[in-house]
Amino acid sequence: MTLRLGDTAPDFVQESTEGTIRFHEWAGASWVVLFSHPADFTPVCTTELGKTAALGGEFARRGVKPIAVSVDPVDSHRTWVKDINETQNCEVDFPILADADKKVATLYDMIHPNSLVNATVRSVFIIDPKKVIRATLTYPASTGRNFDEILRVIDSLQLTDSHKVATPANWKQGDDVVIVPSITDPKELAERFPQGFRAVKPYLRLTPQPNK
């Protein structure tokens, strides 16, 4: 199954380190970062889950729930969590799905057989409160994910959902943003962007970042 941006994130029921997860019910009105890792007790994955735990406050501030998945069983996950907490100086407080039957991995096309035959690649799905897939990222097993980039994408999505703007290359919180080209009426521009803007070209107008 190929999932594209704008598709509804498939619902599922699966066991986890925090009990049975009914995905859509568990997500509620939050944003979700669903991310897969190839296997428990592997060094890159250990750092990734530790980083996710360390960024718990940043995710919570954005109304985001992280949830991890691999094809290992719950008992393995729970033992591994102790290692993560010890080695990464953190407290893993989000669920890790035990996808031994590969239900979730199949629904979200996380197994790429030309890369890894029986394990998931490093997939990331950013899902909004309407359960719509808004962004995806895929990394090979040998490359740990950039969690600053994941937070940056969430910031961009949340900002552009509430304002008629887009975020330019390498944008980060506090940088200027781009006014969408469809807004041409001077009155609307003045109402939406009272802080003003500068027109680099008629199609490229930059304005200070609005408040969310």
Side-chain angles (χ1 to χ4, degrees):
M1 179 177 183
T2 299
L3 294 173
R4 297 181 173 88
L5 302 189
D7 288 351
T8 298
D11 197 11
F12 57 80
V13 179
Q14 189 58 286
E15 296 306 310
S16 81
T17 51
E18 297 187 1
T20 303
I21 296 288
R22 293 172 173 80
F23 184 53
H24 281 190
E25 179 183 322
W26 172 85
S30 298
W31 288 72
V32 172
V33 172
L34 171 65
F35 65 107
S36 59
H37 56 272
D40 293 356
F41 302 101
T42 52
V44 176
C45 299
T46 298
T47 65
E48 289 188 319
L49 270 70
K51 187 65 173 177
T52 303
L55 290 170
E58 293 297 322
F59 284 117
R61 186 164 64 84
R62 294 164 170 82
V64 178
K65 291 182 174 181
I67 183 168
V69 56
S70 86
V71 297
D72 293 310
V74 169
D75 289 347
S76 173
H77 285 349
R78 287 177 175 152
T79 303
W80 183 37
V81 164
K82 296 176 184 177
D83 279 4
I84 297 169
N85 291 341
E86 176 189 348
T87 63
Q88 305 303 303
N89 192 29
C90 67
E91 191 69 34
V92 173
D93 59 356
F94 54 88
I96 306 174
L97 295 167
D99 197 37
D101 60 2
K102 302 178 183 175
K103 179 196 304 180
V104 178
T106 300
L107 276 175
Y108 284 81
D109 194 25
M110 293 171 168
I111 295 177
H112 298 188
N114 290 329
S115 178
L116 290 173
V117 176
N118 294 313
T120 56
V121 293
R122 299 187 193 282
S123 297
V124 181
F125 291 84
I126 298 174
I127 300 163
D128 72 15
K130 295 180 180 179
K131 314 299 182 292
V132 173
I133 296 170
R134 300 296 300 279
T136 62
L137 300 163
T138 303
Y139 294 71
S142 59
T143 304
R145 281 162 277 217
N146 185 329
F147 284 84
D148 290 338
E149 173 64 4
I150 291 170
L151 290 173
R152 191 188 79 91
V153 172
I154 294 166
D155 286 341
S156 173
L157 289 169
Q158 293 181 346
L159 178 67
T160 58
D161 275 358
S162 56
H163 297 277
K164 296 282 190 177
V165 297
T167 54
N170 292 342
W171 173 88
K172 59 184 183 298
Q173 280 281 18
D175 288 352
D176 286 353
V177 295
V178 176
I179 298 173
V180 295
S182 59
I183 300 179
T184 57
D185 180 65
K187 182 179 178 182
E188 183 179 2
L189 284 166
E191 289 174 351
R192 288 187 179 275
F193 307 104
Q195 68 273 41
F197 63 90
R198 56 190 175 91
V200 181
K201 290 288 184 180
Y203 60 84
L204 178 55
R205 297 164 296 173
L206 298 172
T207 188
Q209 177 184 320
N211 295 322
K212 288 185 182 180

